[in-house]
Amino acid sequence: MKLASIDNKTRDGQLVVVNKELTKAVKVPEIAETMQFAIDNWKETEAKLQRVYQDLNADKIPNTFDFSSVRVLAPIPRAYHWADGSAYVTHVELVRKARNSELPESFWTDPLMYMGASDAFIGANDDITIENEEWGIDFESEVAVITDDVPAGTHSEDALNHIKLITIINDVSLRNLIPNELSKQFGFYQSKPWTSFAPVVVTPDELDGDWTNGKLHLPLYSTLNGKCIGSPNAGIDMTFDFGQLIAHASKTRSLMAGTVIGSGTVANQGNLNGSSCLAEVRCLEIIKDGKASTPFMRFGDRIEIEMKDKEDQSIFGKINQIVKEYKK
């Protein structure tokens, strides 16, 4: 099934069920008012929401509305926990190569992960507002999952059973702020503003055979100002699957229902299908030409991120954002 949160003038939005074509939706307050409530009570809400989804696709539901007519929030507008991995080590390897820095062997066996800001995720059509272009504004196209309660010490095979919802995201980065932050050896903070989400999340069964072994085997398209920057397959060259990422995050503590885990920038070895961020494009230029020629994003730029099924149908809807100057 497909779920979303729409603007109802509250911080957590109104949970809605969306049809397969992303054209119609229906509110379900009798089941759950919010996405967080639904995931908190997944054993009770899942089957009820599934029935609504089936009836919605069969045109048996009254009081539906045009899904495109409402402002869509991030599916879970604020979460208790957001951790982003770097599951595509080929991407990290490329960045290190451009810096003439050797990749530690442990990166192939132990996932990288940071905890980001989850107090106010951004909707698919919300502007990316940044104060200064010189901060190096970049998009990062990723896959993400939302879990139920995950006990501490959960093994990777069992962790896959805790994945309840899947989507795509834009993990916005401010590249020129990153070096100074990392030099302090205390991780990201200012260089990682709020993350943007696709309009809908879907249950794993909605993806048929494209979701296998904790990986989503479909191309992820990133289009900047009408030009496709890349469409790498998210299931190829994913060093750590989502089961391994969740196991890593829950090694020493439990994860609460509604935890969001990101894959990191989707990348394929050799970059034959392009890149999922400008930093990678610039690294390839540095390796080839000795310097980067592609600029980071500027005010007025539009970034679109989307994933389609084999019938060319958008699965999660499109992330479609414009970078704008933050006004105090």
Side-chain angles (χ1 to χ4, degrees), residues 69-101:
S69 69
V70 294
R71 178 179 173 233
V72 179
L73 306 179
I76 186 162
R78 51 179 178 169
Y80 294 115
H81 196 155
W82 153 233
D84 198 20
S86 191
Y88 300 85
V89 178
T90 184
H91 166 73
V92 182
E93 186 177 39
L94 177 65
V95 173
R96 289 271 178 152
K97 183 177 180 181
R99 297 174 182 167
N100 292 315
S101 178

Side-chain angles (χ1 to χ4, degrees), residues 146-197:
I146 301 177
T147 75
D148 61 6
D149 290 310
V150 181
T154 295
H155 295 295
S156 58
E157 298 83 0
D158 297 327
L160 291 174
N161 297 322
H162 291 282
I163 296 172
K164 302 306 174 187
L165 299 165
I166 303 165
T167 192
I168 58 174
I169 63 173
N170 178 12
D171 180 40
V172 179
S173 291
L174 303 177
R175 298 295 185 183
N176 293 339
L177 299 185
I178 290 176
N180 183 56
E181 286 206 288
L182 293 186
S183 70
K184 300 175 182 177
Q185 299 184 356
F186 215 58
F188 299 122
Y189 192 82
Q190 292 172 335
S191 52
K192 288 290 187 178
W194 289 325
T195 301
S196 318
F197 279 66

Side-chain angles (χ1 to χ4, degrees), residues 238-256:
M238 189 180 190
T239 310
F240 304 103
D241 64 52
F242 275 106
Q244 292 171 297
L245 292 178
I246 293 169
H248 180 80
S250 64
K251 180 176 180 178
T252 60
R253 59 179 172 185
S254 300
L255 306 179
M256 298 298 101

